[in-house]
Amino acid sequence: MTSPDTEFISIAGSTSGSPDTTFTRTGGKTLPSVLPILGLSDVVIFPGMVSPLLVETAQSIRMIDDVVAGDRFLGLVLQKKAEVENPTPEDLWGHGCAVRILKMLKFPDNTVRVLVEGLRRFRVIEYESQDPYLRARLELVRDTVEDSIELTALTRNVQRQFQEIINLSPAMSDEVKVAVLNTEHPGKLSDLIASNLNLSLEERQHLLEVSGVKERLNRLLPLMSRELEVLTLGSKIQREVASSMSKSQRDFFLREQMRVIQRELGESDPLLSEANALREQIEALQLPEDAKKVALKEVERLQSIPPTTPEHTVTRNYLDWIVNLPWSKRTEDKIDLDAAARLLDEQHYGLAKVKDRLLEFLAVMKLKRQLKGPLLCLVGPPGVGKTSLGRSVADTLGRKFARISLGGMRDEAEIRGHRRTYVGALPGRILQSLRRVESHNPVILLDEIDKVGADFRGDPAAALLEVLDPQQNSTFTDNYLDLPFDLSRVLFITTANWLDPIHPALRDRLEVIELPSYTAAEKLQIAKRFLVPRQLEEHGLQAGLVKLPDASLKRLIQDYTREAGVRQLERAIASLARKSARKLVSAGGTLRPMTIRPAELPDYLGPAQFVPEMAEAIAECGVAIGLAWNPVGGDILFIEASRMPGSGKLLLTGSLGDVMKESAQTALTFLRSQSKLLNLDLTDFEKHDLHIHVPAGATPKDGPSAGVAIVAALASLLAQRRVRSDFAMTGEISLRGRVLPVGGVKEKVLAAARAGVRQVVLPEENRKDWVEVPPEVRDRIKVHFVRRIAEVFPLVLRAS
Ligand SMILES: Nc1ncnc2c1ncn2[C@@H]1O[C@H](COP(=O)(O)OP(=O)(O)OP(=O)(O)O)[C@@H](O)[C@H]1O
Ligand SMILES: [Mg+2]
């Protein structure tokens, strides 16, 4: 027997059974002394209260039926445990309330609702029967009211306190307020309050059991103070919460209200129109089905997220990316080989082989009409035009161009993007480039692919592999976008200074085109045709205003730069342009054309940066010039040997690698075994240490190709014959005195030429590489091919 969820308000509505009147006046009928007893699980009924009850068990329903058919009187007693379904006398408290059923309603779910009116308190004397339901003999309990001023004062006090409670409880109904104001009788007042105050079932039951009105009121007072305290605290909390409601919340409410108002006025809802605009854009995009579905779903979501939240911005950005990617935008290829050849020549001087190779590539592309071909990789020293050639390829095809610098990239997310859940997440560089160029078939230059690193943030090379693999890249899935995007129509071109550091799986896929270093003559042409005009223009100097004669450019190349490419040269020219601009402007008046002569270069750029080393001709024994080669081009290398008293040790300094140290050992062993050949005096060999040093000690050097030069330096020291200073040499040596071939011959010879060397010694087996050296350099340098070390000595050692 529970009270229905919607608790009716118990009021002292009916006066017919006032607790203070005699029980003979309960609706005109006398309360019998034996009543059927209904156990209540969650409510205590007080005399004078009208309350609904829900009756569920078959036993109780039968009882109600009987009661309604008879005099309608019933005893209600609280159960000690709410969950007992058919309580026995032991489950029930000893006091209850006699009630009259005012109304009964049967419901289709076989439950019964009754409206009861509390009449009198009673005490159970004994239970007479339990079957079919409980019946008990009762003693009706009268309220004892003493007529005293104290009671009046107590009543007023209780009344006033309850008024305060009512004022603080917005949920309390008006009927209760009215009833309290109009109830003078202290007994009725105490019951009215007891049934409306927030009390536990036990507290209520105790109040029911007390017959003395004064005691009831006294018990109520502390309970009411407690309630008052709780309510005051509650309203304080509420006030504080309300005042701390943040501005953003207020804004949110206001905005929501504005939306509703706008909708009422028939004006468009900004969120809705934003969403509709996005939908239109998405429909127009020709997205793949899957992507479209995802996009539309996101729009749906966007509409339901308040615009002031970060979530809204995140979703909005995401949709922005989808809408702005070139899903269907592309450029038409124009492959006209003649025009392409012309364009390449217009933009780059020389590089005939490279250009040929590029044109072949374009021809194949035209025939196959697709790109699943080789992946080009332009390899060469810095500043030889790799990056700018990539751009030219895009121009010849009429495609958009994007460059992604991979130098120092260590984070996989740079390629593949960050998941959207990260704050400030973005797609990777590939998608960023595509969005920027607004075409899905641009040329993308992956610059410096040899400088990709890997660390804890993942391996960008692995992500690159996926991007570059024609089998996989048609469904490239960026972490941010989380949708496949077709990259198969992008033409990827890569560049590198050298191939060694490139991830093997990646290197395997590359079609290498090598760009050699430039000769001085080539640099002169590049400067004349491209660098000078471009720099003058960039510095606002009209054609003809500043002249740089060939002689000046040659001096610039020779004395102010030493490099494989033309980057330093371009910088030097830029510097000249800047300084001449200043000179012209500060001279005032009309600008008069000026010429920069070779002799004036130090005025502009300071003293020459690179005095040709040959000028400081080798003045001592034990020094030889070797040739080195590294990713930034070739260079010459001085090798110095000296001898001092000691114990026959060999010292090596100058950041030499293991291979280079071993060739020094080999050189020494060979010389000792062949001392007769050179008339070397090795009698005191054990009493001396030998020291070999290669200057520029901070730069690491390695490789076997310095063998010949080391042997020459040692021989020169031991034989006390100087090495001729116009000679440079390269070649690996064997213990048996053979000279073995080396790599990078062309770069080395070009470096030798730059340094003013006149004659070079090369291994016989490198004869084939000599042809690769540009003719104008071959004309200037005399070459000697050798098979054995013994052939080197008469060439390079001066007579003592
Ligand atoms: N053959 C050439 N004709 C005309 N200009 C050239 C030529 N080679 C290089 N340049 C110019 O030299 C400058 C440097 O070239 P670029 O930046 O392409 O070098 P790079 O090979 O990419 O070097 P890095 O390896 O350092 O990236 C550019 O301004 C380029 O236009
Ligand atoms: Mg570059």
Side-chain angles (χ1 to χ4, degrees):
M1 287 37 22
T2 54
S3 62
D5 314 343
T6 51
E7 205 177 318
F8 288 24
I9 309 302
S10 312
I11 55 163
S14 162
T15 52
S16 54
S18 319
D20 56 323
T21 51
T22 55
F23 57 85
T24 47
R25 285 171 58 197
T26 50
K29 287 179 204 160
T30 312
L31 270 170
S33 56
V34 174
L35 281 179
I37 299 294
L38 184 64
L40 300 175
S41 61
D42 66 351
V43 58
V44 175
I45 302 290
F46 287 88
M49 309 300 122
V50 174
S51 177
L53 296 175
L54 176 67
V55 184
E56 284 172 310
T57 62
Q59 201 183 40
S60 308
I61 289 172
R62 183 161 165 206
M63 176 206 296
I64 297 291
D65 279 340
D66 290 354
V67 169
V68 171
D71 56 11
R72 294 188 161 233
F73 292 129
L74 177 68
L76 300 180
V77 181
L78 183 68
Q79 293 174 199
K80 290 175 183 162
K81 283 186 192 141
E83 61 278 7
V84 179
E85 241 187 42
N86 289 312
T88 60
E90 292 77 51
D91 296 325
L92 297 167
W93 291 84
H95 287 72
C97 184
V99 300
R100 191 177 53 178
I101 294 179
L102 300 177
K103 212 175 220 174
M104 178 183 76
L105 280 175
K106 296 205 165 187
F107 279 77
D109 60 352
N110 287 329
T111 61
V112 170
R113 261 149 243 231
V114 290
L115 193 63
V116 300
E117 180 193 11
L119 300 174
R120 293 288 295 273
R121 290 173 156 77
F122 64 74
R123 183 175 70 82
V124 177
I125 298 170
E126 59 171 342
Y127 284 89
E128 292 199 333
S129 67
Q130 298 194 28
D131 202 41
Y133 40 77
L134 291 171
R135 291 174 67 84
R137 177 173 298 283
L138 330 158
E139 179 196 14
L140 292 177
V141 180
R142 253 175 217 277
D143 280 359
T144 49
V145 190
E146 52 181 274
D147 210 357
S148 69
I149 302 179
E150 195 193 341
L151 183 67
T152 317
L154 191 61
T155 311
R156 293 225 182 113
N157 197 350
V158 166
Q159 214 164 10
R160 203 177 46 245
Q161 273 222 28
F162 197 64
Q163 280 296 334
E164 275 183 53
I165 292 179
I166 288 176
N167 289 341
L168 286 173
S169 340
M172 192 84 76
S173 81
D174 290 341
E175 281 97 330
V176 180
K177 295 179 192 170
V178 174
V180 170
L181 276 179
N182 292 299
T183 306
E184 300 265 296
H185 191 281
K188 272 166 78 177
L189 183 71
S190 69
D191 286 344
L192 177 62
I193 293 175
S195 54
N196 283 294
L197 200 60
N198 208 352
L199 298 177
S200 72
L201 280 175
E202 258 102 281
E203 283 165 344
R204 285 211 166 106
Q205 177 67 26
H206 289 317
L207 285 168
L208 184 69
E209 290 178 5
V210 176
S211 61
V213 173
K214 196 173 130 193
E215 193 189 339
R216 277 212 307 264
L217 290 174
N218 270 325
R219 279 196 189 195
L220 265 179
L221 269 177
L223 297 174
M224 287 167 74
S225 316
R226 182 190 70 191
E227 177 70 6
L228 206 56
E229 217 166 291
V230 170
L231 284 171
T232 325
L233 194 65
S235 73
K236 186 169 160 233
I237 292 173
Q238 194 138 35
R239 266 199 315 277
E240 276 172 12
V241 168
S243 71
S244 73
M245 185 167 84
S246 66
K247 180 176 164 357
S248 71
Q249 274 169 304
R250 221 168 22 239
D251 287 358
F252 170 66
F253 284 124
L254 289 175
R255 219 168 257 127
E256 283 298 295
Q257 278 171 357
M258 192 166 76
R259 274 177 62 196
V260 175
I261 293 168
Q262 274 172 330
R263 205 176 306 143
E264 286 299 313
L265 290 174
E267 289 170 8
S268 68
D269 172 354
L271 268 188
L272 185 70
S273 47
E274 179 190 32
N276 283 341
L278 279 168
R279 278 196 197 95
E280 267 171 42
Q281 276 177 289
I282 291 168
E283 292 294 345
L285 271 179
Q286 303 175 23
L287 292 178
E289 255 336 287
D290 288 357
K292 188 165 159 180
K293 241 191 247 159
V294 170
L296 289 176
K297 220 162 116 201
E298 286 293 320
V299 176
E300 203 68 39
R301 231 163 65 75
L302 185 73
Q303 240 180 310
S304 66
I305 314 174
T308 45
T309 58
E311 175 80 3
H312 188 94
T313 321
V314 168
T315 311
R316 181 64 238 227
N317 282 348
Y318 177 65
L319 280 163
D320 231 42
W321 269 101
I322 294 191
V323 174
N324 284 304
L325 280 175
W327 297 92
S328 53
K329 271 194 228 165
R330 55 174 298 146
T331 51
E332 280 315 313
D333 282 350
K334 43 170 200 241
I335 306 183
D336 173 347
L337 288 190
D338 290 341
R342 235 176 298 129
L343 203 87
L344 284 175
D345 281 338
E346 264 168 36
Q347 298 185 345
H348 290 91
Y349 172 81
L351 299 172
K353 261 192 178 171
V354 177
K355 289 176 184 166
D356 276 349
R357 187 64 196 82
L358 285 175
L359 289 172
E360 287 161 25
F361 178 81
L362 295 180
V364 174
M365 200 168 131
K366 179 164 188 169
L367 286 180
K368 279 176 69 180
R369 307 222 114 268
Q370 59 167 359
L371 290 169
K372 294 212 166 132
L375 176 62
L376 290 184
C377 181
L378 303 169
V379 180
V384 292
K386 300 182 295 295
T387 306
S388 69
L389 259 179
R391 195 180 290 271
S392 293
V393 172
D395 288 350
T396 57
L397 282 168
R399 288 190 176 206
K400 295 280 173 46
F401 176 80
R403 171 176 170 269
I404 299 177
S405 172
L406 302 175
M409 188 182 281
R410 307 188 148 267
D411 190 349
E412 191 178 339
E414 294 241 20
I415 300 286
R416 224 198 286 268
H418 280 293
R419 297 212 167 275
R420 237 189 314 157
T421 44
Y422 285 88
V423 177
L426 273 183
R429 303 272 284 274
I430 306 276
L431 289 192
Q432 288 187 27
S433 305
L434 290 179
R435 176 175 176 173
R436 199 172 50 244
V437 301
E438 296 181 347
S439 158
H440 66 225
N441 65 338
V443 171
I444 293 187
L445 186 79
L446 299 170
D447 219 357
E448 317 202 324
I449 197 168
D450 53 336
K451 304 206 180 53
V452 176
D455 66 10
F456 61 95
R457 283 165 295 186
D459 185 358
L464 272 181
L465 266 177
E466 189 188 329
V467 167
L468 297 174
D469 182 351
Q471 312 305 337
Q472 292 183 53
N473 69 8
S474 58
T475 56
F476 171 71
T477 305
D478 183 276
N479 286 330
Y480 178 85
L481 197 65
D482 205 17
L483 290 170
F485 192 95
D486 187 356
L487 296 181
S488 64
R489 293 153 301 197
V490 176
L491 173 58
F492 288 103
I493 297 179
T494 60
T495 79
N497 284 141
W498 59 334
L499 292 171
D500 283 12
I502 302 178
H503 192 287
L506 210 55
R507 192 168 50 207
D508 203 44
R509 217 158 275 164
L510 300 178
E511 167 91 13
V512 175
I513 301 182
E514 279 191 48
L515 278 82
S517 338
Y518 293 121
T519 61
E522 283 170 328
K523 287 182 187 174
L524 176 66
Q525 291 305 321
I526 294 172
K528 266 170 73 171
R529 295 173 200 218
F530 297 95
L531 308 183
V532 173
R534 181 160 68 217
Q535 287 306 328
L536 293 185
E537 194 196 313
E538 268 177 28
H539 289 84
L541 299 165
Q542 281 162 12
L545 209 49
V546 174
K547 288 206 192 80
L548 269 165
D550 285 5
S552 301
L553 285 173
K554 273 184 192 159
R555 176 69 69 83
L556 210 52
I557 293 165
Q558 181 67 42
D559 292 357
Y560 288 87
T561 67
R562 174 150 303 164
E563 56 175 348
V566 291
R567 187 157 294 137
Q568 285 176 20
L569 180 59
E570 185 162 18
R571 229 176 280 140
I573 292 171
S575 176
L576 284 180
R578 229 174 17 244
K579 295 194 156 114
S580 346
R582 178 171 170 194
K583 232 181 186 174
L584 283 170
V585 172
S586 46
T590 47
L591 302 178
R592 257 184 295 140
M594 58 183 283
T595 305
I596 303 176
R597 312 219 168 270
E600 292 167 347
L601 283 178
D603 298 343
Y604 287 87
L605 303 174
Q609 306 269 315
F610 297 96
V611 190
E613 277 98 345
M614 293 315 104
E616 48 164 312
I618 298 174
E620 286 169 83
C621 296
V623 181
I625 300 172
L627 290 172
W629 176 71
N630 60 28
V632 299
D635 206 351
I636 64 165
L637 208 60
F638 282 84
I639 295 186
E640 304 171 350
S642 74
R643 193 176 189 211
M644 62 227 152
S647 55
K649 284 197 302 275
L650 176 65
L651 253 88
L652 298 157
T653 54
S655 298
L656 309 185
D658 286 344
V659 180
M660 201 150 171
K661 284 180 181 167
E662 281 162 15
S663 40
Q665 283 287 358
T666 312
L668 188 58
T669 310
F670 170 78
L671 282 179
R672 290 180 70 181
S673 66
Q674 302 288 319
S675 56
K676 269 202 218 99
L677 183 79
L678 287 161
N679 281 328
L680 300 181
D681 173 18
L682 295 179
T683 41
D684 283 340
F685 194 81
E686 273 74 34
K687 293 191 184 132
H688 288 90
D689 285 346
L690 284 172
H691 185 169
I692 296 177
H693 178 70
V694 184
T699 326
K701 312 160 190 82
D702 202 3
S705 71
V708 169
I710 294 174
V711 139
L714 281 173
S716 151
L717 177 73
L718 294 172
Q720 286 298 303
R721 290 166 62 185
R722 273 188 295 144
V723 177
R724 299 174 56 169
S725 48
D726 59 344
F727 262 93
M729 55 210 89
T730 183
E732 187 177 347
I733 52 171
S734 81
L735 270 184
R736 303 256 163 271
R738 284 188 46 217
V739 176
L740 307 174
V742 293
V745 167
K746 183 165 140 204
E747 297 293 334
K748 285 174 174 171
V749 173
L750 285 174
R754 276 202 295 275
V757 168
R758 292 282 136 76
Q759 311 194 46
V760 292
V761 176
L762 295 179
E764 173 65 37
E765 285 175 60
N766 280 118
R767 201 181 272 275
K768 61 179 190 309
D769 301 307
W770 178 250
V771 216
E772 299 276 315
V773 178
E776 82 244 27
V777 175
R778 271 187 281 165
D779 291 348
R780 272 176 37 210
I781 286 193
K782 186 156 195 266
V783 64
H784 307 270
F785 294 105
V786 294
R787 284 196 170 81
R788 305 199 61 83
I789 300 176
E791 297 166 41
V792 177
F793 302 132
L795 281 172
V796 306
L797 294 184
R798 293 174 193 270
S800 50

